Amino acid sequence: MKSAVVTFPGSNRERDMMHALELVSGRKPEAVWHADTSLPDVDLVVLPGGFSYGDYLRSGAIAARAPVMDAIRAFAARGGMVLGVCNGFQMLTEAGLLPGALMRNAGLTFVCREVQLETASTANRFTAGMRKGETWRCPVAHHDGNYFADAETIARLEGEDRVAFRYASGTNPNGSINDIAGITNEAGNVLGMMPHPENYVDAQQASTDGRAFFESICGAFATA
Protein backbone atom coordinates (compact mmCIF):
# COMPACT_ATOMS: atom_id res chain seq x y z
CA MET A 1 0.00 0.00 0.00
CA LYS A 2 1.29 3.40 -1.00
CA SER A 3 0.27 6.27 1.24
CA ALA A 4 0.74 10.00 1.73
CA VAL A 5 0.33 12.22 4.78
CA VAL A 6 -0.55 15.89 4.38
CA THR A 7 0.96 18.48 6.73
CA PHE A 8 -0.71 21.80 7.50
CA PRO A 9 0.62 24.68 9.62
CA GLY A 10 -0.23 23.52 13.14
CA SER A 11 -0.31 19.77 12.42
CA ASN A 12 1.30 17.80 15.24
CA ARG A 13 0.55 14.16 14.50
CA GLU A 14 1.91 13.81 11.00
CA ARG A 15 5.08 12.04 12.14
CA ASP A 16 3.09 9.70 14.39
CA MET A 17 0.90 8.82 11.43
CA MET A 18 3.82 8.30 9.08
CA HIS A 19 5.50 6.03 11.63
CA ALA A 20 2.34 3.93 12.01
CA LEU A 21 1.84 3.59 8.26
CA GLU A 22 5.45 2.62 7.62
CA LEU A 23 5.48 0.19 10.54
CA VAL A 24 2.43 -1.69 9.29
CA SER A 25 2.71 -1.34 5.50
CA GLY A 26 6.49 -1.61 5.24
CA ARG A 27 6.58 1.42 2.94
CA LYS A 28 7.52 4.95 3.92
CA PRO A 29 4.64 7.36 3.24
CA GLU A 30 5.04 10.35 0.96
CA ALA A 31 5.02 13.76 2.65
CA VAL A 32 2.61 16.29 1.14
CA TRP A 33 2.49 20.00 2.01
CA HIS A 34 -0.78 21.93 2.37
CA ALA A 35 0.18 24.31 -0.47
CA ASP A 36 0.77 21.50 -2.98
CA THR A 37 -1.76 21.32 -5.79
CA SER A 38 -1.28 17.68 -6.73
CA LEU A 39 -0.83 14.33 -5.01
CA PRO A 40 1.75 11.60 -5.61
CA ASP A 41 0.68 8.22 -6.99
CA VAL A 42 -0.71 6.65 -3.81
CA ASP A 43 -3.58 4.47 -2.60
CA LEU A 44 -4.30 6.30 0.65
CA VAL A 45 -4.13 9.97 1.69
CA VAL A 46 -4.21 10.86 5.38
CA LEU A 47 -5.09 14.17 7.02
CA PRO A 48 -3.48 13.99 10.47
CA GLY A 49 -4.33 15.49 13.82
CA GLY A 50 -3.21 18.77 15.29
CA PHE A 51 -4.43 22.33 15.32
CA SER A 52 -4.21 23.45 11.69
CA TYR A 53 -3.96 27.23 11.42
CA GLY A 54 -4.36 27.42 15.19
CA ASP A 55 -8.01 26.29 14.92
CA TYR A 56 -8.91 29.87 14.03
CA LEU A 57 -12.43 30.47 12.66
CA ARG A 58 -13.42 26.82 13.31
CA SER A 59 -11.34 23.69 13.71
CA GLY A 60 -10.36 22.54 10.21
CA ALA A 61 -12.19 25.38 8.43
CA ILE A 62 -9.12 27.13 7.01
CA ALA A 63 -7.32 23.87 6.21
CA ALA A 64 -10.39 22.71 4.27
CA ARG A 65 -9.72 25.58 1.86
CA ALA A 66 -6.01 24.88 1.40
CA PRO A 67 -4.75 24.35 -2.18
CA VAL A 68 -4.17 20.62 -1.65
CA MET A 69 -7.82 19.99 -0.81
CA ASP A 70 -8.95 20.29 -4.44
CA ALA A 71 -6.58 17.45 -5.31
CA ILE A 72 -7.90 15.43 -2.37
CA ARG A 73 -11.51 15.95 -3.47
CA ALA A 74 -10.62 14.75 -6.97
CA PHE A 75 -8.69 11.79 -5.52
CA ALA A 76 -11.70 10.77 -3.41
CA ALA A 77 -14.05 11.19 -6.37
CA ARG A 78 -11.89 8.68 -8.29
CA GLY A 79 -12.26 6.17 -5.46
CA GLY A 80 -9.01 6.88 -3.63
CA MET A 81 -9.08 6.24 0.10
CA VAL A 82 -8.93 9.29 2.36
CA LEU A 83 -8.53 9.06 6.13
CA GLY A 84 -8.91 12.03 8.47
CA VAL A 85 -7.96 11.65 12.13
CA CYS A 86 -8.99 14.21 14.77
CA ASN A 87 -8.23 17.57 13.10
CA GLY A 88 -8.32 15.65 9.83
CA PHE A 89 -11.90 14.56 10.58
CA GLN A 90 -12.77 18.20 11.20
CA MET A 91 -11.23 19.12 7.84
CA LEU A 92 -13.27 16.47 6.03
CA THR A 93 -16.56 17.79 7.42
CA GLU A 94 -15.56 21.39 6.68
CA ALA A 95 -14.58 20.40 3.13
CA GLY A 96 -17.92 18.68 2.52
CA LEU A 97 -16.35 15.26 2.10
CA LEU A 98 -18.23 13.99 5.16
CA PRO A 99 -21.56 15.19 6.61
CA GLY A 100 -22.11 16.81 9.98
CA ALA A 101 -19.85 18.92 12.17
CA LEU A 102 -17.45 18.59 15.09
CA MET A 103 -18.48 20.98 17.87
CA ARG A 104 -17.01 21.91 21.24
CA ASN A 105 -16.82 19.03 23.68
CA ALA A 106 -19.87 18.83 25.92
CA GLY A 107 -17.70 19.66 28.95
CA LEU A 108 -16.14 22.66 27.14
CA THR A 109 -12.67 21.41 28.04
CA PHE A 110 -9.82 19.76 26.16
CA VAL A 111 -9.94 15.99 26.66
CA CYS A 112 -6.80 13.86 26.53
CA ARG A 113 -7.22 10.28 27.70
CA GLU A 114 -7.78 6.71 26.64
CA VAL A 115 -11.24 5.51 25.61
CA GLN A 116 -12.74 2.19 24.65
CA LEU A 117 -13.56 2.23 20.94
CA GLU A 118 -16.09 -0.10 19.33
CA THR A 119 -15.76 -1.17 15.72
CA ALA A 120 -19.37 -0.50 14.74
CA SER A 121 -19.17 -1.38 11.03
CA THR A 122 -16.99 -3.45 8.74
CA ALA A 123 -18.93 -2.44 5.62
CA ASN A 124 -16.10 -0.32 4.20
CA ARG A 125 -12.55 -0.88 3.01
CA PHE A 126 -11.01 0.70 6.10
CA THR A 127 -12.48 -1.71 8.65
CA ALA A 128 -13.34 -4.76 6.53
CA GLY A 129 -10.50 -6.71 8.13
CA MET A 130 -11.64 -5.96 11.68
CA ARG A 131 -14.31 -7.67 13.77
CA LYS A 132 -17.63 -5.89 14.06
CA GLY A 133 -18.55 -5.26 17.69
CA GLU A 134 -15.02 -5.65 19.05
CA THR A 135 -13.79 -3.02 21.49
CA TRP A 136 -10.22 -1.77 21.71
CA ARG A 137 -8.16 0.83 23.50
CA CYS A 138 -7.51 4.13 21.73
CA PRO A 139 -6.41 7.59 22.92
CA VAL A 140 -8.23 10.85 22.23
CA ALA A 141 -6.90 14.40 22.39
CA HIS A 142 -9.31 17.12 21.28
CA HIS A 143 -11.38 20.12 22.27
CA ASP A 144 -13.85 20.03 19.37
CA GLY A 145 -14.78 16.37 19.01
CA ASN A 146 -18.52 16.47 19.68
CA TYR A 147 -20.01 15.02 16.48
CA PHE A 148 -23.37 16.48 15.49
CA ALA A 149 -25.66 16.26 12.48
CA ASP A 150 -29.37 16.79 11.92
CA ALA A 151 -31.78 13.92 12.59
CA GLU A 152 -32.14 13.03 8.91
CA THR A 153 -28.38 12.76 8.43
CA ILE A 154 -27.96 10.65 11.57
CA ALA A 155 -30.75 8.32 10.42
CA ARG A 156 -29.06 7.97 7.03
CA LEU A 157 -25.64 7.25 8.57
CA GLU A 158 -27.12 4.62 10.85
CA GLY A 159 -29.36 3.10 8.17
CA GLU A 160 -26.54 2.86 5.64
CA ASP A 161 -24.11 1.31 8.16
CA ARG A 162 -21.73 4.26 7.85
CA VAL A 163 -20.89 4.68 11.53
CA ALA A 164 -17.47 3.04 11.53
CA PHE A 165 -16.59 3.58 15.19
CA ARG A 166 -18.40 4.40 18.42
CA TYR A 167 -17.19 5.21 21.89
CA ALA A 168 -18.02 2.12 23.94
CA SER A 169 -20.66 2.54 26.62
CA GLY A 170 -19.60 4.96 29.32
CA THR A 171 -16.45 6.22 27.57
CA ASN A 172 -17.85 8.99 25.32
CA PRO A 173 -15.42 11.85 26.06
CA ASN A 174 -17.18 14.67 24.22
CA GLY A 175 -20.94 14.19 24.01
CA SER A 176 -21.06 13.01 20.39
CA ILE A 177 -24.55 12.03 19.30
CA ASN A 178 -25.11 8.24 19.31
CA ASP A 179 -21.55 7.89 20.72
CA ILE A 180 -20.26 8.39 17.16
CA ALA A 181 -16.45 8.38 16.95
CA GLY A 182 -16.01 7.87 13.19
CA ILE A 183 -18.04 7.82 9.98
CA THR A 184 -17.60 7.13 6.28
CA ASN A 185 -18.96 8.72 3.12
CA GLU A 186 -21.56 6.96 0.96
CA ALA A 187 -18.93 5.20 -1.16
CA GLY A 188 -17.02 4.01 1.89
CA ASN A 189 -13.67 5.37 0.68
CA VAL A 190 -13.50 8.42 2.98
CA LEU A 191 -13.35 7.91 6.74
CA GLY A 192 -13.09 10.47 9.53
CA MET A 193 -12.50 9.59 13.18
CA MET A 194 -11.63 11.57 16.31
CA PRO A 195 -9.51 9.00 18.25
CA HIS A 196 -5.84 8.47 17.40
CA PRO A 197 -5.14 4.83 16.43
CA GLU A 198 -1.67 5.86 15.19
CA ASN A 199 -0.56 6.34 18.79
CA TYR A 200 -1.28 2.71 19.73
CA VAL A 201 0.65 0.72 17.11
CA ASP A 202 4.13 0.27 18.56
CA ALA A 203 5.25 -1.99 21.40
CA GLN A 204 6.97 1.04 22.93
CA GLN A 205 3.59 2.75 23.31
CA ALA A 206 0.94 2.00 25.94
CA SER A 207 -0.86 -0.43 23.65
CA THR A 208 -0.81 -1.89 20.14
CA ASP A 209 -4.60 -2.04 19.81
CA GLY A 210 -4.61 0.51 16.98
CA ARG A 211 -2.44 -1.68 14.78
CA ALA A 212 -5.39 -3.82 13.67
CA PHE A 213 -6.99 -0.78 12.07
CA PHE A 214 -3.94 -0.08 9.89
CA GLU A 215 -3.56 -3.78 9.10
CA SER A 216 -7.17 -3.76 7.94
CA ILE A 217 -6.47 -0.85 5.58
CA CYS A 218 -3.39 -2.58 4.17
CA GLY A 219 -5.42 -5.75 3.76
CA ALA A 220 -7.85 -3.95 1.50
CA PHE A 221 -5.05 -3.54 -1.04
CA ALA A 222 -3.55 -6.96 -0.49
CA THR A 223 -6.81 -8.53 -1.62
CA ALA A 224 -7.75 -5.94 -4.26
Side-chain angles (χ1 to χ4, degrees), residues 153-170:
T153 298
I154 294 297
R156 187 167 65 251
L157 290 172
E158 297 285 5
E160 295 174 357
D161 201 14
R162 289 166 53 192
V163 178
F165 298 111
R166 297 186 203 273
Y167 301 108
S169 179

Side-chain angles (χ1 to χ4, degrees), residues 28-82:
K28 185 175 181 178
E30 299 277 350
V32 176
W33 185 233
H34 71 109
D36 292 344
T37 56
S38 62
L39 297 171
D41 178 22
V42 294
D43 306 303
L44 171 73
V45 174
V46 184
L47 306 179
F51 304 92
S52 58
Y53 299 95
D55 278 350
Y56 287 110
L57 186 60
R58 291 183 308 276
S59 298
I62 299 176
R65 290 153 179 81
V68 74
M69 292 305 296
D70 285 336
I72 291 173
R73 288 187 187 90
F75 177 75
R78 296 193 301 270
M81 292 177 69
V82 179

Side-chain angles (χ1 to χ4, degrees), residues 90 101-106 143-148 174:
Q90 295 160 346
L102 282 306
M103 308 191 304
R104 292 279 192 271
N105 294 344
H143 190 273
D144 301 348
N146 185 353
Y147 182 77
F148 177 83
N174 50 45

Side-chain angles (χ1 to χ4, degrees), residues 189-208:
N189 66 308
V190 177
L191 185 149
M193 61 188 296
M194 285 309 297
H196 287 276
E198 74 276 13
N199 290 143
Y200 272 6
V201 297
D202 196 305
Q204 299 180 75
Q205 297 168 327
S207 170
T208 58

